[in-house]
Amino acid sequence: MELTSIKTIKELKSMFDFAFSKGLGQNFLTDAAVLDKIADAASGTEGVLEIGPGFGVLTKTLSENFEKVVSIEIDKSLLPVLDYTLAGCDNVKIINSDFMKLNLKELIKNEFNSKKISVAANLPYYITTPIITTLLEGGYDIENIVVMVQKEVAQRFCAKPGTKEYGAISVLCNYYTEPEIVVNVPAGSFYPAPKVDSAVVRMRVLDKPSVLVDDEKHFFKVVKASFAQRRKTLLNCLSNGFSKDKETIKNVLEAVGIDATIRGERLGVSDFAKISDEMLKNGIK
Ligand code: SAM
């Protein structure tokens, strides 16, 4: 059964009386070459976790490339379809759940014997950022995160300082991982076709974050405040975000050699780390 074929998708749709849900981001991949690229980019672990199998097109490719696949699908009406399309894929386990409500630590322990896993998914776009944030901030044993997301979102994940795509999410991704775009995927490579183009991003999770900070929570508060008002200077953003007078913040920035008049989007991960540590030294929380 060729799950990338639109004809097969239509046949399965009518066979199981399935209705695509726009709300759940159900746009199924129809490009076999992209499936191989995702599996290849995620390789290096025995186990792989998939979010949102749909009709099982990526699940099947993953089952051929990994020892064990666990796949989380929120939509109950897809379960009989997956039973049918994945018949014979004995190393695949489907769990009917909302990914956001899952206890991922328990799942990794029970399903993968606490071994490092990869995550591979053609993500439902309405929930991309919460999923990535959960995966990165949770401290799970993950080696690679390989996800299909909206093209502009992929560019933001991988953006470097000084570009218009660079924001708090870029800092988050570059703090925990080495992100890179694997391949761009046009809207026409999905059925039904979405309105936007997509891209596959690979994030290789670092053993240790890319910089050392005294307090991670404070570091991310600094990052958030620095991007809260993109047109304002770093000085104004930090002064507003931490409810401190400008003189106090100016002294902090001077101490770490950062120009108070620049905008946050020019700073790299290590600059935010320096600012955060210096603020803490001065009791600014
Ligand atoms: N993997 C398939 C493919 O590549 O063709 C389907 C991908 S489709 C873009 C996203 C899938 O995620 C759908 O099957 C949808 O039902 C599922 N999904 C949406 N929200 C979810 C959630 N919160 N937890 C788990 N699965 C979800």
Side-chain angles (χ1 to χ4, degrees), residues 24-29 50-55 57-58 72-75 78 97-100 122-124 126-127:
L24 289 177
Q26 290 175 342
N27 304 97
F28 297 168
L29 191 57
E50 186 192 17
I51 301 155
F55 280 0
V57 69
L58 176 61
I72 316 299
E73 176 55 61
I74 195 172
D75 186 349
L78 282 167
S97 167
D98 178 346
F99 175 76
M100 296 308 293
N122 172 13
L123 285 182
Y126 75 99
I127 202 176

Side-chain angles (χ1 to χ4, degrees), residues 2-265:
E2 201 53 77
L3 290 172
T4 48
S5 139
I6 293 180
K7 188 170 166 267
T8 308
I9 296 174
K10 284 182 176 167
E11 278 167 10
L12 287 168
K13 181 182 177 327
S14 84
M15 194 171 155
F16 288 92
D17 201 16
F18 176 77
F20 287 102
S21 159
K22 254 195 190 168
L24 289 177
Q26 290 175 342
N27 304 97
F28 297 168
L29 191 57
T30 58
D31 184 334
V34 175
L35 294 173
D36 290 336
K37 285 196 172 125
I38 295 175
D40 193 43
S43 68
T45 57
E46 287 174 15
V48 66
L49 176 72
E50 186 192 17
I51 301 155
F55 280 0
V57 69
L58 176 61
T59 325
K60 209 166 180 183
T61 302
L62 294 173
S63 104
E64 288 156 11
N65 287 276
F66 289 83
E67 275 179 35
K68 178 159 185 185
V69 186
V70 174
S71 198
I72 316 299
E73 176 55 61
I74 195 172
D75 186 349
K76 222 178 174 168
S77 68
L78 282 167
L79 300 184
V81 189
L82 288 163
D83 263 351
Y84 178 76
T85 57
L86 299 175
C89 298
D90 298 333
N91 59 347
V92 175
K93 178 166 181 178
I94 305 287
I95 297 176
N96 180 213
S97 167
D98 178 346
F99 175 76
M100 296 308 293
K101 296 197 175 137
L102 212 64
N103 183 336
L104 205 47
K105 268 233 149 85
E106 280 292 300
L107 183 139
I108 294 174
K109 188 171 136 213
N110 296 337
E111 300 294 340
F112 298 106
N113 290 324
S114 300
K115 280 191 191 157
K116 263 200 178 183
I117 58 160
S118 290
V119 174
N122 172 13
L123 285 182
Y125 295 170
Y126 75 99
I127 202 176
T128 299
T129 304
I131 289 177
I132 294 300
T133 309
T134 299
L135 290 172
L136 294 182
E137 290 182 342
Y140 308 112
D141 276 332
I142 299 175
E143 189 148 318
N144 292 304
I145 300 171
V146 182
V147 282
M148 175 95 71
V149 297
Q150 193 179 321
K151 192 174 166 190
E152 288 72 20
V153 175
Q155 288 166 342
R156 263 182 256 147
F157 286 172
C158 302
K160 297 292 173 218
T163 60
K164 71 173 191 321
E165 292 83 14
Y166 189 61
I169 192 78
S170 327
V171 179
L172 183 81
C173 292
N174 281 283
Y175 176 74
Y176 287 114
T177 79
E178 260 173 25
E180 59 169 338
I181 291 181
V182 175
V183 63
N184 288 317
V185 185
S189 296
F190 300 85
Y191 185 84
K195 288 204 174 80
V196 293
D197 289 333
S198 299
V200 175
V201 178
R202 174 181 190 243
M203 299 190 219
R204 199 179 66 77
V205 181
L206 301 167
D207 289 335
K208 277 187 295 190
S210 59
V211 290
L212 255 178
V213 292
D214 290 338
D215 180 339
E216 229 167 55
K217 232 173 147 182
H218 188 270
F219 167 77
F220 283 117
K221 190 175 169 190
V222 169
V223 173
K224 221 172 144 195
S226 303
F227 286 105
Q229 297 153 294
R230 287 188 79 104
R231 286 144 154 255
K232 296 212 166 164
T233 62
L234 181 63
L235 178 61
N236 279 325
C237 285
L238 291 175
S239 163
N240 289 340
F242 285 83
S243 307
K244 287 281 167 201
D245 61 277
K246 290 189 186 160
E247 206 46 42
T248 308
I249 301 292
K250 207 171 168 193
N251 289 338
V252 167
L253 295 175
E254 246 166 38
V256 292
I258 290 172
D259 180 356
T261 64
I262 64 166
R263 300 193 201 299
E265 65 210 47

